[in-house]
Amino acid sequence: MSTQGYQDELRSEQNYVDGLYARLDAERARVKGRYSAALRGKGVSAMERDFEVRALGKQAKRLDVADNGLCFGRLDSLSGEASYIGRIGLFDEANEFEPLLLDWRAPAARAFYVATAATPEDMRRRRQFHTRGRQVTDFTDEVLGRPDGDERGDAALLAAVNAPRGAGMRDIVATIQAEQDEIIRLDHPGVLVIEGGPGTGKTVVALHRVAYLLYTQRERMERQGVLVVGPNPAFLNHIAHVLPSLGETNVVFTTAGDLLPGLHVTAEDAPAAARLKGSLRILDVLAAAVADRQRLPVEPVPIELADVTVRIDAETAQWATEEARASGRPHNEAREVFREIVTYVLTERAIGRIGKGWLTRDDREAWEQLRTDLVAELAESEAFTAALDDLWPILTPETFLAQLYSSPERLRAAGADESLYRAEGDAWTVSDVPLLDELVDLLGRDKPVDDTAERERKAEAAYAARVLEDTMVSREDHMDDEDHLFAQDMLFGEDLAERFLERDTRELAERAAADRDWTYRHVVVDEAQELSEMDWRVLMRRCPGKSFTVVGDLAQRRSAAGATSWATVMEPYVPGRWAYRALTVNYRTPAEIMAVAAAVLAEFAPEVTPPESVRACGVQPWARRVDPADLSTAIAEFVRDEAEREGTSIVIGPPDVPGTVAASETKGLEYDAVLVVEPERILADGPRGAAELYVALTRATQRLGVLHRGELPPALRGLADAPAPVPAR
């Protein structure tokens, strides 16, 4: 295309995009007008108003986020028809709703991502726009169907991966590749495991898969929302804006340590403790520890009543314990069974003594009246309540587990390993979260189950909800139904709703994050290789439908309790019903840096094939040996030099080196420049030190440097001795 031809074409595309923005602005104004009217709520109930306000608010947000990069491509078919691809769909209402812009998730847009030179999908050309705000700055064309085409030579893709990194992860909606698109659109209702090495885009693919599922299954997905579990808060901050940038907000982002609302993790387990807590063997420990709190009295416990003293002996407590356990109820709820049996025995004994010589079972009315009086007297007896608290105490997960950890005697009684002992029992670790979550179900409610007032309140609320749902219909739909009660016929209808129904105006994500019992429609688990068997029990409880997108790389596993194979993790929950897909192309790490990381990978996981880098950066990684006294100065020089460049940088090293972060804190993140400090010490830090070093080396997208005090590990000895001079951009 000539220069003049290119400029003419660019103006033509700008005119079309201007028209799309005009249509977007008109739609935005229409929705905001309806939103304002809904807020006034004239002629509708408060419930109907709230529903419409929420729906229109979500629609307005989707239109707002679409403004940035609204249209990013065009696809020309062999027949000459052009289709424009963008963040949302826009239609021409005046022309039978002809599509002006295809949503990237729509089936008709799929060829934009999968068409290649070898398989053009009946397409002639793919055009990708580069935009700044609403301005189309330029475009690149890829002619499809040529024998010498190269699907990995896409100019837009290379421009994206070579661009300096910003504060957070960018969506890849404009540059999704065929390998990634296949996974994003995969029609699999259960668990999908996506494995890929560093830089393959597995995280962003998983997030775009969620956006696709929300597009194709919006009604079902939005009612329960989506949970995204990441390795650390920095990672969550890094990815948090990807889904909102695609118009999706009903998503809860959390770490495994934050799955229990209100719990704060403040400590870290030693590997032995983490391994035991993460294994299913800990379930036996918890069950034994709970049973240990269900005691028998060493000596009979006297209970003084008005006319007689009765005693709780070991035989009575044993019978009550067996019946309570056989009930199958959680510990706290089973206490009611224990109490009923003990109460029965004590009242029988008391009646026998009080009525001796004058009362028999034949006098049923007098017998039952005396029993009723004795039951009431026991219920008010402080001694009886104290005995119950001693023999079958009400337990809360936090108090129970803290007391277990801080008591060598209780640990021994539960058959637990001494590695679980800690003096500060409530210094919670990430590995404690699944145990506490398990105990919520194992212990049950932490107050007596015979709370009739609470049960009655919930029953009344449920009844009121059903009444309101059944009656909120329009008179027009039932004009001939004389027996039907209409909402407008109900006196004080809003008073009834306010009395029984607590209105919760929070967004779904906020409500879900605060509710331990919330269940999600879909769950995304990133860095899934780090999760233990107990972690998976927690997540499976959170998603009864077992709809998961699982993302990880077994070669990067650091946790002693983490996964060693995906089959071991998935088969117990979805036997034969989970799918596996692998990403093989590295879009982030340049070939020069990946060659260094691959040498490390070959030493600790020779069976794993590293992903193939899609590009080279032209800058060789370097290493420099420094004296201990000069280490901080060398780090400061790197930080100063990188501050003058565009992009991001980080220093990764052992925890005790000032100015560095641990490799585990950078998982899933990416930086233009990375300085790895003392790799020999990272490598020597436990059995998974090699995986830590592998992670550290693969965070860089442009430049990698290494500072070492001792001898370089053998895999790194090919590095240049000094940094190559690279002019700042």
Side-chain angles (χ1 to χ4, degrees), residues 552-669:
D553 180 10
L554 294 178
Q556 295 187 54
R557 177 178 66 86
R558 182 180 184 273
S559 170
T564 55
S565 80
W566 299 120
T568 302
V569 171
M570 298 302 160
E571 283 297 318
Y573 299 104
V574 283
R577 295 188 294 112
W578 59 282
Y580 174 88
R581 294 293 185 274
L583 291 168
T584 61
V585 180
N586 188 334
Y587 300 101
R588 178 183 69 210
T589 317
E592 296 90 340
I593 295 175
M594 197 61 214
V596 177
V600 174
L601 179 67
E603 291 200 350
F604 78 94
E607 74 284 358
V608 177
T609 301
E612 180 184 352
S613 293
V614 76
R615 67 189 177 96
C617 65
V619 180
Q620 291 298 323
W622 55 266
R624 180 195 301 166
R625 188 165 188 169
V626 295
D627 293 330
D630 297 330
L631 183 61
S632 60
T633 301
I635 293 174
E637 288 176 353
F638 170 83
V639 173
R640 184 183 63 249
D641 291 344
E642 288 300 328
E644 298 176 359
R645 299 175 183 268
E646 184 181 3
T648 59
S649 63
I650 196 168
V651 181
I652 302 174
D656 60 348
V657 177
T660 69
V661 301
S664 58
E665 295 300 313
T666 67
K667 280 200 164 188
L669 307 181

Side-chain angles (χ1 to χ4, degrees), residues 359-370:
L359 182 62
T360 67
R361 287 185 182 275
D362 292 336
D363 191 354
R364 184 168 182 174
E365 185 175 346
W367 188 288
E368 291 302 327
Q369 182 58 53
L370 182 54

Side-chain angles (χ1 to χ4, degrees), residues 79-103:
S79 63
E81 182 180 356
S83 300
Y84 287 82
I85 317 297
R87 290 181 175 275
I88 63 171
L90 292 175
F91 302 90
D92 184 356
E93 295 180 0
N95 191 16
E96 298 183 348
F97 287 90
E98 179 183 350
L100 301 173
L101 182 68
L102 289 175
D103 190 300

Side-chain angles (χ1 to χ4, degrees), residues 165-169 237-238 241 648:
R165 266 48 195 168
M169 179 178 284
N237 289 335
H238 182 62
H241 83 285
T648 59

Side-chain angles (χ1 to χ4, degrees), residues 305-586:
L305 302 176
D307 300 316
V308 67
T309 297
V310 290
R311 288 173 171 79
I312 305 175
D313 54 29
E315 183 180 7
T316 299
Q318 180 65 43
W319 178 29
T321 297
E322 291 173 357
E323 291 294 326
R325 290 175 178 173
S327 71
R329 300 181 187 179
H331 168 86
N332 290 336
E333 296 177 22
R335 171 181 159 123
E336 176 65 10
V337 178
F338 182 87
R339 185 190 66 79
E340 288 176 352
I341 297 296
V342 173
T343 298
Y344 171 79
V345 173
L346 295 187
T347 55
E348 283 289 306
R349 290 174 180 173
I351 292 171
R353 295 176 187 176
I354 295 172
K356 187 175 183 180
W358 65 270
L359 182 62
T360 67
R361 287 185 182 275
D362 292 336
D363 191 354
R364 184 168 182 174
E365 185 175 346
W367 188 288
E368 291 302 327
Q369 182 58 53
L370 182 54
R371 179 191 297 281
T372 299
D373 294 342
L374 288 168
V375 168
E377 193 174 351
L378 280 173
E380 296 177 358
S381 168
E382 292 183 1
F384 183 61
T385 300
L388 289 179
D389 290 342
D390 183 51
L391 301 177
W392 198 287
I394 294 292
L395 302 171
T396 63
E398 290 87 350
T399 301
F400 170 81
L401 197 59
Q403 291 174 346
L404 176 64
Y405 287 152
S406 59
S407 170
E409 295 79 11
R410 285 193 170 124
L411 287 171
R412 283 195 295 271
D417 190 284
E418 62 182 11
S419 65
L420 295 185
Y421 172 79
R422 64 187 185 216
E424 192 176 352
D426 59 356
W428 303 120
T429 70
V430 171
S431 301
D432 291 326
V433 173
L435 277 62
L436 290 166
D437 193 75
E438 192 77 31
L439 286 167
V440 172
D441 293 336
L442 192 60
L443 297 178
R445 295 172 54 178
D446 60 358
K447 56 184 176 180
V449 296
D450 56 346
D451 189 345
T452 54
E454 176 68 10
R455 291 203 305 271
E456 289 174 359
R457 189 197 69 78
K458 288 188 175 182
E460 288 176 341
Y463 172 76
R466 290 196 300 272
V467 169
L468 290 174
E469 182 178 353
D470 292 342
T471 57
M472 295 308 295
V473 295
S474 66
R475 183 179 293 274
E476 289 75 16
D477 292 339
H478 295 276
M479 288 297 293
D480 298 328
D481 189 352
E482 295 181 357
D483 296 328
H484 198 91
L485 177 64
F486 298 103
Q488 54 264 50
D489 295 329
M490 295 178 63
L491 297 178
F492 312 115
E494 285 199 19
D495 291 340
L496 181 67
E498 291 289 350
R499 178 181 175 187
F500 292 120
L501 301 176
E502 295 181 5
R503 293 195 177 178
D504 193 339
T505 58
R506 295 174 297 172
E507 292 292 331
L508 180 143
E510 188 179 358
R511 287 183 285 126
D515 186 355
R516 180 262 173 188
D517 295 321
W518 189 280
T519 57
Y520 296 88
R521 178 65 185 175
H522 191 78
V523 176
V524 176
V525 186
D526 209 317
E527 298 294 341
Q529 73 278 355
E530 304 298 341
L531 270 59
S532 68
E533 292 176 309
M534 289 296 293
D535 289 325
W536 283 107
R537 283 177 65 87
V538 177
L539 294 175
M540 292 295 172
R541 279 195 288 269
R542 298 296 192 275
C543 187
K546 304 296 186 290
S547 178
F548 281 75
T549 299
V550 176
V551 179
D553 180 10
L554 294 178
Q556 295 187 54
R557 177 178 66 86
R558 182 180 184 273
S559 170
T564 55
S565 80
W566 299 120
T568 302
V569 171
M570 298 302 160
E571 283 297 318
Y573 299 104
V574 283
R577 295 188 294 112
W578 59 282
Y580 174 88
R581 294 293 185 274
L583 291 168
T584 61
V585 180
N586 188 334

